Amino acid sequence: MAPAMFIAWTFCAMLVSANLVQSIGVNWGSQSSHPLNPSIVVGMLKDNGIKQAKLFDADGWTVSAFAGSGIEVMVGIPNNQLKGLADHYDKAKDWVKENVTKQVKDVDIRYVGVGNEPFLKSYNGSHLKTTFPALQNIQKALNEAGYRGKIKATVPLNADVYEAASNKPSDGNFRKDVRDVMLQVVKFLDENDAPFLVNIYPFLSLYQSSSFPMDFAFFDGGTPIQDKNVQYTNVFDANFDTLVWTLRKNGFGDLKIMVGEVGWPTDGNINATPKLAKRFYDGFLKRMANKKGTPLRPGQMEAYLFGLLDEDMKSIDPGDFERHWGIFRYDGQPKFPIDFSGKGNNDKMPVGAKGVQYMDSQWCVLKQDTKNMTEVIPEIDYACSNSDCSSLGYGSTCNSLDARGNVSYAFNMYYQMQDQSVEACKFNGLAEVVKQNASKGSCLFPVQILSAGERLSLAYGATFIAGLLLSLFTLV
């Protein structure tokens, strides 16, 4: 690169970085049928000046993409690995060697998230006995590997680990069923100067209660509630300060708190829209930029937005919105304007992913001459149970489609998630492939991206891949 070009590029990068709220990061989940190439995602983070990323695993390909990026990384350990790490210290040492030591020379790893919301009520205590010993073993292994004070282990926790019977923050305390283990975890975090990592979702307060005042979920004028000498105008502050009270009551009032997840979904529910997501982020990022904090913890706060990309394979048990938390779509393209700096440039679109390759511009739809719609019922059930129809529900972006449109949407989602396979657009002779965009109004009929697997297939040719697979089956 010519010196003048390098100086210009460096100056632009400094401007992007200077305009970002420095305490803001993003969560990057991987439960997608066609994940973007990690190098493309890291490029997108850099283009938007995002300096912190939180992962839910420690996949080597993903983590290595951060090499030389200047982005601070939190790697994660899934819940299904907690028992092994809790029971065997050697496994914790091996995990650190494989996932930290191999990467840390090139990647700025700052934290290890041990588990992911392991004490959720819905888990019925299945991780109560394994989370804390796994946390101990991972931090011990990090220390022995020479990362004491440099890389800290913590536990990403849902805000349901604490509660307040009166809905006033000052009544907060840990849930009775997790109180003992939470005190162990908190004491350990305090001893190791590690943060309490909590996930707070104002959207869920609105989703779970029809009587919840909508404005209280945002930052622009909710009716105040009074708690002692403090007024709360939004549920985020009230929730965060419930944790502050909880820690105070248990002797850890000065423990650092980081927000591990906070955001707003854009589809899958009547209140999950790009417009409301923009309203939420505008208010939240402005507060972050102003370093306002909460009434009990004023000043700078650190938070990871949730999330970066939509994930079409997430469980929808909590609700259809689970697959639509992304600020960006599945293909890395922005959904709504967002100003990561919080400076009030609220019409600014973020920079989308570059270099994304798509499959052919074709869609799988219901045949025009289909008359007997009862034949379609088992086919649409099959398509939706094996793909993502979460945008068809009440209040969602594709809720206004007619019956034929619903069927075509389901067929196309299955077809795209099956890599546009010819066999995936048959549906007992009721479907056909068309070249005209099947999208209707605000309802997007997506064309899937080429992920790493498809690119390999195209590069070597279908005949080569078929021959390779045949040789493998011959060896069995």
Side-chain angles (χ1 to χ4, degrees):
M1 182 183 293
M5 291 178 64
F6 176 79
I7 292 170
W9 180 89
T10 303
F11 179 68
C12 291
M14 288 172 63
L15 285 177
V16 171
S17 178
N19 288 331
L20 182 75
V21 178
Q22 292 302 306
S23 53
I24 284 290
V26 294
N27 284 268
W28 174 13
S30 58
Q31 296 184 60
S32 302
S33 63
H34 292 70
L36 284 167
N37 187 299
S39 63
I40 290 178
V41 176
V42 172
M44 180 173 66
L45 295 178
K46 292 172 67 177
D47 286 342
N48 287 285
I50 295 171
K51 294 293 186 180
Q52 295 167 280
K54 176 171 168 282
L55 309 179
F56 294 87
D57 54 34
D59 173 68
W61 187 36
T62 301
V63 175
S64 64
F66 287 95
S69 67
I71 297 173
E72 299 174 6
V73 179
M74 179 187 299
V75 294
I77 298 175
N79 290 336
N80 60 10
Q81 297 182 25
L82 293 177
K83 188 177 188 307
L85 295 171
D87 292 345
H88 306 283
Y89 177 59
D90 284 346
K91 287 189 176 181
K93 289 200 297 184
D94 289 343
W95 189 94
V96 168
K97 180 180 179 180
E98 182 67 27
N99 298 291
V100 176
T101 303
K102 281 187 177 181
Q103 302 278 13
V104 76
K105 289 182 180 180
D106 302 310
V107 180
D108 188 6
I109 299 174
R110 296 293 182 93
Y111 298 101
V112 175
V114 181
N116 184 46
E117 301 186 329
F119 302 144
L120 275 175
K121 291 179 182 177
S122 58
Y123 290 154
N124 297 315
S126 56
H127 304 300
L128 276 179
K129 295 181 179 179
T130 57
T131 301
F132 179 54
L135 173 67
Q136 288 178 300
N137 282 344
I138 288 295
Q139 187 64 68
K140 181 181 177 182
L142 287 169
N143 293 348
E144 289 189 357
Y147 309 121
R148 182 188 298 274
K150 300 175 184 176
I151 302 176
K152 300 171 184 179
T154 185
V155 180
L157 295 161
N158 189 280
D160 79 344
V161 297
Y162 51 89
E163 56 193 2
S166 69
N167 291 323
K168 291 187 176 181
S170 59
D171 286 333
N173 212 332
F174 291 120
R175 271 182 15 228
K176 289 183 179 179
D177 61 313
V178 299
R179 186 169 299 169
D180 289 344
V181 67
M182 280 307 307
L183 291 178
Q184 289 179 309
V185 169
V186 168
K187 183 175 184 292
F188 185 81
L189 296 176
D190 186 58
E191 291 171 346
N192 288 275
D193 195 28
F196 189 110
L197 196 64
V198 62
N199 302 339
I200 300 176
Y201 284 107
F203 169 81
L204 295 181
S205 297
L206 187 62
Y207 174 74
Q208 293 166 354
S209 174
S210 58
S211 62
F212 188 86
M214 186 167 188
D215 287 343
F216 203 64
F218 299 92
F219 299 92
D220 52 8
T223 302
I225 63 169
Q226 191 76 24
D227 183 23
K228 298 186 183 297
N229 62 339
V230 177
Q231 273 196 344
Y232 290 95
T233 59
N234 66 84
V235 70
F236 177 88
D237 285 357
N239 191 308
F240 190 98
D241 280 1
T242 302
L243 173 57
V244 175
W245 273 109
T246 297
L247 294 172
R248 284 183 181 179
K249 289 177 182 178
N250 291 284
F252 299 96
D254 295 327
L255 185 65
K256 181 179 179 180
I257 301 172
M258 290 172 56
V259 179
E261 298 177 17
V262 61
W264 199 278
T266 60
D267 206 355
N269 179 261
I270 194 169
N271 291 317
T273 67
K275 182 179 179 180
L276 291 178
K278 181 182 183 326
R279 179 184 175 188
F280 179 82
Y281 281 117
D282 284 351
F284 182 74
L285 290 168
K286 181 179 178 181
R287 289 168 58 88
M288 291 292 290
N290 293 338
K291 301 180 181 180
K292 184 176 180 179
T294 67
L296 298 186
R297 283 283 182 97
Q300 186 70 68
M301 178 188 298
E302 292 186 54
Y304 294 88
L305 307 181
F306 189 87
L308 184 64
L309 301 162
D310 282 349
E311 300 172 73
D312 61 6
M313 296 185 71
K314 284 194 73 178
S315 169
I316 56 173
D317 287 346
D320 288 344
F321 55 84
E322 279 296 327
R323 293 175 176 170
H324 303 279
W325 286 101
I327 295 170
F328 297 84
R329 300 187 321 183
Y330 70 99
D331 57 356
Q333 302 312 306
K335 302 178 186 177
F336 55 88
I338 183 171
D339 180 9
F340 291 114
S341 75
K343 299 292 180 60
N345 188 7
N346 297 332
D347 295 324
K348 177 183 179 181
M349 291 295 287
V351 181
K354 298 173 181 175
V356 179
Q357 297 180 40
Y358 294 84
M359 295 183 184
D360 292 338
S361 295
Q362 56 191 33
W363 295 260
C364 178
V365 299
L366 179 67
K367 280 185 175 178
Q368 287 288 333
D369 59 0
T370 302
K371 298 285 194 282
N372 184 4
M373 292 297 287
T374 59
E375 296 178 348
V376 173
I377 295 175
E379 306 302 329
I380 194 173
D381 285 345
Y382 178 82
C384 285
S385 63
N386 290 281
S387 66
D388 176 24
C389 292
S390 57
S391 292
L392 292 175
Y394 172 70
S396 300
T397 53
C398 298
N399 181 228
S400 61
L401 297 176
D402 59 17
R404 300 182 70 88
N406 285 336
V407 176
S408 290
Y409 184 88
F411 283 2
N412 185 63
M413 289 304 297
Y414 179 79
Y415 174 67
Q416 301 294 341
M417 290 177 70
Q418 295 295 319
D419 303 334
Q420 296 188 353
S421 162
V422 173
E423 295 297 319
C425 191
K426 289 193 172 179
F427 294 105
N428 204 24
L430 297 171
E432 62 182 347
V433 175
V434 298
K435 298 291 185 179
Q436 183 177 356
N437 194 331
S439 300
K440 299 180 183 299
S442 62
C443 177
L444 173 69
F445 280 53
V447 170
Q448 258 301 351
I449 64 170
L450 287 170
S451 57
E454 289 95 39
R455 291 179 188 182
L456 180 66
S457 177
L458 289 175
Y460 286 96
T463 304
F464 173 83
I465 298 296
L468 178 62
L469 291 174
L470 180 62
S471 66
L472 289 174
F473 282 119
T474 305
L475 293 173
V476 174

